[in-house]
């Protein structure tokens, strides 16, 4: 009988021991592979996640680079530092790492007792990553704090602006805030130019920034500052200011205004009256404006230096009569009008020129707009758009309009340099660069006449006190005593005195305007007129600075005689 | 064969592991050295900036002037006066040329046997 498979039930096949073990191993391997893949996946995922994290490099809203950003050093024209960066430690805390706030507060206050306890406790409590505790400390304090060993408290080095000249060039330099951004003066201007951009780009780090050269000469600046301080005490004035300019390049050699502030403590700049009187103060210029009238009239060709003017009687405008301060009350020649500072004569000179031509000349010399200059502290001058007969008459001797001393020095520079208006600058500029910017406002022959008038006034007129001080340096200039408006009326006791000058007039190089506000007489023999204070200050400054500027004294009279125009010889 | 390969791989792995650890520690060392150096440079730069600022203060005219004034009496110095300046132009000019006429007359008188000095000597009473 054949045994067939059909007779049996389904066959039971059992895997052999080897095969069963093989299957089990394969399963285990699969599980292991899965586990490994999962494990590596986890690690890889975490790595990707870590790679995505952007590290928080900000310090209270600002990037670390900005905090430690440096500014370029500022040098004077001879390479002396006027502003440098110093590195100072600043104390910060990481509240989330502080273990015992109370202990930290107590310890910190042993070194920094000025910190308010409650404020400090609130500051250090919480989960923040970074808070300032106190910025710009001294290295000694840093050592003491480090010795306390408080966790979560550390220092970061910040750069701080330091001005080694202290108050001397404060109005030129301005100041920076605690984040090293310029807030006033040339510092602010530099930020507007390019420093802020460099800081934003993070390029302003280390000492890589090229120094900025200013046109200022710190030696001259020091003398001017010192003499103005001296004038403040000597004449018990409420303010004094001065500016000196190179007439060919427009470079400002010195600029000082008192009372001033210490740029190392920017808060002192907020003290009342410490504003920059040279650029942001506008004043009635008084008689120093007569030079402008003379220049305009002589340049118009309608007035010649040989002309005579009737100054016998005051000039009536309706109810008002304009008279002279120390009137000669006779017919004056043009140089005499200037020398005796005759208001009547000056009005006649202006009238010969015509009031509209006079007004147009004021625009030509830039009296009705800001002087193009780097310092941001500026005020618009107030010069009437149209001049009435009376307005033109008073304007011709410097009343009824207000300009800044910077306007005056720029105008004087143009008057004596051959008649070219050049905008002043605080940066270095050579003559070739400046010549490209020249704008002709006067004929060279007019400029020569003005030089003569200014020198004449120093030899025989109101500038003779000044000339005694600065003998030999051929200084010439014009005094101006502007009465202040007190309660709506001109006060004869409160005056602003000016002296506008240029030297050496045989070959002029520098123009200067000195202002003394509300001076009192130095002694019984001296007056309060400008010749006695602003003029004397000018003389003393020139006497000190002329040798520094390479100007040798020369007493030969031929130099003065050469200044006399041929028509008057 | 595979067993040998495995043994080699295991040994290599152990070596690599040791190497990686050594590298890690040496890198950590270098990094901390670098941090210390950066901190040192930073503090030195800070000190340098202070020293430079000091120098700038000391060379300011405003700093020097008071010192000069303090020692004015001892050193007997005062600001220069205009009259103290000289010029090349003020030096007396050299004669344009020698005074030949005077020389000629001297030689002529000598040749004639007259020594002008004799007359002076006689006048003074010297032989």
């Amino acid at each position: 009988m054949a045994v067939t498979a059909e007779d049996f039930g389904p066959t039971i096949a059992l895997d052999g021991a080897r095969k069963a073990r093989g299957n089990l191993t394969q399963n285990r391997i699969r599980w292991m592979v899965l586990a490994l893949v999962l494990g590596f996946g986890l690690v890889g995922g975490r790595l990707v996640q870590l790679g995505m994290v952007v590290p928080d490099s900000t310090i209270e809203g600002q990037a670390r680079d900005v905090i430690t950003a440096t500014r370029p050093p500022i040098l004077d024209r001879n390479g002396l530092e006027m502003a440098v960066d110093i590195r100072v430690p600043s104390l910060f805390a990481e509240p989330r790492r502080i273990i015992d706030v109370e202990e930290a507060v107590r310890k910190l206050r042993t070194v920094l007792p000025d910190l308010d306890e409650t404020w400090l406790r609130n500051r250090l409590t919480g989960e923040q990553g970074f808070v300032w505790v106190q910025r710009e400390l001294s290295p000694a304090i840093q050592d003491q704090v480090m010795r306390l060993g408080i966790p979560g408290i550390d220092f970061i080095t910040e750069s701080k602006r330091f001005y080694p000249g202290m108050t001397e060039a404060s109005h030129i330099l301005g100041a920076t805030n605690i984040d090293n951004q310029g807030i006033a003066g040339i510092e602010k201007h530099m930020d507007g130019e390019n420093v802020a951009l460099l800081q934003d780009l993070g390029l302003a780090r280390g000492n890589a920034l090229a120094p900025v050269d200013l046109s200022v000469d710190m030696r001259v600046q020091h003398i001017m500052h010192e003499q103005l301080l001296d004038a403040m005490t000597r004449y018990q004035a409420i303010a004094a200011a001065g500016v000196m300019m190179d007439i060919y390049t427009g470079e400002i050699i010195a600029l000082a205004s008192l009372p001033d502030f210490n740029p190392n403590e920017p808060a002192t700049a907020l003290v009342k009256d410490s504003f920059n009187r040279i650029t942001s103060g506008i004043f009635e210029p008084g008689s120093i404006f007569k030079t402008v009238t003379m220049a305009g009239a002589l340049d118009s060709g309608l007035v010649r230096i040989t002309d005579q003017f009737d100054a016998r009687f005051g000039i009536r405008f309706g109810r008002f009569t304009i008279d002279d301060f120390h009137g000669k009350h006779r017919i004056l020649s043009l140089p005499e009008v200037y020398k005796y500072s005759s208001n009547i004569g000056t009005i006649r000179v202006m009238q010969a020129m015509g009031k509209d031509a006079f007004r147009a000349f004021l625009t030509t010399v830039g009296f009705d707009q800001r002087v193009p200059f780097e310092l941001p502290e500026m005020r618009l001058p107030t010069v009437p758009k149209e001049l009435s007969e009376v307005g033109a008459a008073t304007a011709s001797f410097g009343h009824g309009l207000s300009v800044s001393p910077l306007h005056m020095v720029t105008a004087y520079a143009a008057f004596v340099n051959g008649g070219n208006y050049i905008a002043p600058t605080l940066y270095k500029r050579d003559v070739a660069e400046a010549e490209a910017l020249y704008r002709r406002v006067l004929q060279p022959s007019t400029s020569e006449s003005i030089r003569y008038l200014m020198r004449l006034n120093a030899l025989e007129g109101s500038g003779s006190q000044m000339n005694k001080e600065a003998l030999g340096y051929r200084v010439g200039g014009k005094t101006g005593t502007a009465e202040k408006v007190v309660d709506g009326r001109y006060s004869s006791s409160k005056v602003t005195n000016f002296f506008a000058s240029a030297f050496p007039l045989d070959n002029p190089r520098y123009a200067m305007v000195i202002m003394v506000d509300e001076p009192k007489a130095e002694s019984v023999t001296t007056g309060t007129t400008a010749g006695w204070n602003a003029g004397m200050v000018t003389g003393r400054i020139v006497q000190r600075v002329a040798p520094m500027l390479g100007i040798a004294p020369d007493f030969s009279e031929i130099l003065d005689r050469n200044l006399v125009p041929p028509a008057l010889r | 064969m595979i067993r040998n390969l495995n043994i080699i791989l295991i040994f290599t792995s152990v070596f690599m592991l040791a190497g990686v650890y050594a590298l890690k520690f040496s890198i950590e060392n270098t990094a901390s050295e670098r941090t210390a150096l950066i901190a040192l440079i930073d503090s030195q730069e800070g000190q340098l900036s202070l020293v430079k600022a000091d120098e700038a203060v000391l060379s300011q005219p405003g700093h020097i002037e008071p010192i000069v004034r303090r020692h004015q009496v001892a050193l007997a110095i005062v600001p220069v006066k205009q009259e103290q300046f000289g010029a090349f132009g003020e030096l007396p000019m050299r004669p344009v040329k020698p005074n030949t006429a005077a020389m000629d007359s001297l030689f002529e008188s000598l040749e004639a046997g007259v020594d002008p000095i004799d007359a002076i000597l006689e006048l003074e009473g010297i032989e």
Side-chain angles (χ1 to χ4, degrees), chain A residues 418-461:
Chain A
N420 297 303
Y421 184 92
I422 176 73
T425 179
L426 275 172
Y427 294 117
K428 268 192 172 173
R429 179 154 77 189
D430 56 37
V431 180
E433 265 174 84
E435 272 170 357
L437 303 169
Y438 276 178
R439 180 166 61 82
R440 183 156 285 284
V441 293
L442 288 185
Q443 297 304 312
S445 58
T446 315
S447 175
E448 274 170 30
S449 306
I450 295 294
R451 287 182 200 176
Y452 159 70
L453 291 177
M454 284 170 69
R455 182 65 185 145
L456 175 78
N457 194 42
L459 292 174
E460 300 171 9

Side-chain angles (χ1 to χ4, degrees), chain A residues 424-504:
Chain A
T425 179
L426 275 172
Y427 294 117
K428 268 192 172 173
R429 179 154 77 189
D430 56 37
V431 180
E433 265 174 84
E435 272 170 357
L437 303 169
Y438 276 178
R439 180 166 61 82
R440 183 156 285 284
V441 293
L442 288 185
Q443 297 304 312
S445 58
T446 315
S447 175
E448 274 170 30
S449 306
I450 295 294
R451 287 182 200 176
Y452 159 70
L453 291 177
M454 284 170 69
R455 182 65 185 145
L456 175 78
N457 194 42
L459 292 174
E460 300 171 9
S462 55
S464 49
Q465 295 303 328
M466 174 280 300
N467 198 42
K468 275 181 204 155
E469 296 286 329
L471 217 56
Y473 292 119
R474 293 92 72 202
V475 195
K478 182 80 191 79
T479 50
T481 305
E483 292 176 352
K484 281 194 163 184
V485 178
V486 179
D487 302 329
R489 316 185 94 206
Y490 279 109
S491 155
S492 56
S493 57
K494 288 193 172 177
V495 291
T496 314
N497 284 346
F498 293 93
F499 197 89
S501 56
F503 68 99

Side-chain angles (χ1 to χ4, degrees), chain A residues 62-77:
Chain A
Q62 289 182 57
R64 195 170 279 254
D65 287 344
V66 175
I67 293 291
T68 55
T70 55
R71 300 177 65 82
I74 300 178
L75 310 180
D76 84 338
R77 66 185 300 120

Side-chain angles (χ1 to χ4, degrees), chain B residues 2-4 10 29 35 41 44-45 47 70 84 86 93 97 106 111 121 123:
Chain B
I2 290 181
R3 215 176 71 174
N4 285 345
I10 286 169
N29 269 338
T35 316
I41 291 171
Q44 282 180 344
E45 275 181 353
Q47 286 166 7
R70 268 206 304 283
Q84 289 173 282
M93 291 302 281
K97 50 187 176 182
L106 176 69
E111 249 165 63
L121 290 176
L123 210 71

Side-chain angles (χ1 to χ4, degrees), chain B residues 74-100:
Chain B
L75 298 173
I77 42 170
V78 281
V80 68
K81 291 216 167 45
Q82 286 95 314
E83 295 78 19
Q84 289 173 282
F85 285 88
F88 281 114
E90 285 161 22
L91 294 175
M93 291 302 281
R94 199 172 62 175
V96 185
K97 50 187 176 182
N99 191 345
T100 45

Side-chain angles (χ1 to χ4, degrees), chain A residues 82 269 310 344 495:
Chain A
M82 294 173 76
D310 184 358
I344 305 168
V495 291

Side-chain angles (χ1 to χ4, degrees), chain B residues 6-27:
Chain B
N6 281 343
I7 289 169
I8 290 169
L9 283 177
I10 286 169
F11 272 102
T12 323
S13 306
V14 170
F15 265 124
M16 297 285 264
L17 201 69
V20 166
Y21 263 96
L23 199 63
K24 174 183 178 272
F25 284 120
S26 90
I27 286 172

Side-chain angles (χ1 to χ4, degrees), chain A residues 80-82 84-88 139 157 162 164-166 168 206-207 218-219 222-223 226 468-473 543-544 547 551-553 555, chain B residues 41-43 45-63 65-66 69 79-87 90:
Chain A
L80 184 70
E81 284 98 343
M82 294 173 76
V84 289
D85 271 336
I86 53 174
R87 305 278 197 90
V88 286
T157 309
F162 175 68
M166 309 302 168
E168 267 180 12
N207 296 325
M218 269 313 274
R219 300 169 304 170
H222 164 68
I223 303 268
E226 187 204 20
K468 275 181 204 155
E469 296 286 329
L471 217 56
Y473 292 119
Q543 192 204 17
R544 294 283 303 280
I551 297 165
F555 303 97
Chain B
I41 291 171
D42 223 41
S43 80
E45 275 181 353
Q47 286 166 7
L48 192 68
S49 78
L50 289 176
V51 172
K52 276 186 177 164
D54 267 350
E55 192 203 355
V57 171
L58 295 177
S59 48
Q60 290 289 323
H63 178 84
E65 166 123 23
R69 278 186 195 281
V80 68
K81 291 216 167 45
Q82 286 95 314
E83 295 78 19
Q84 289 173 282
F85 285 88
E90 285 161 22

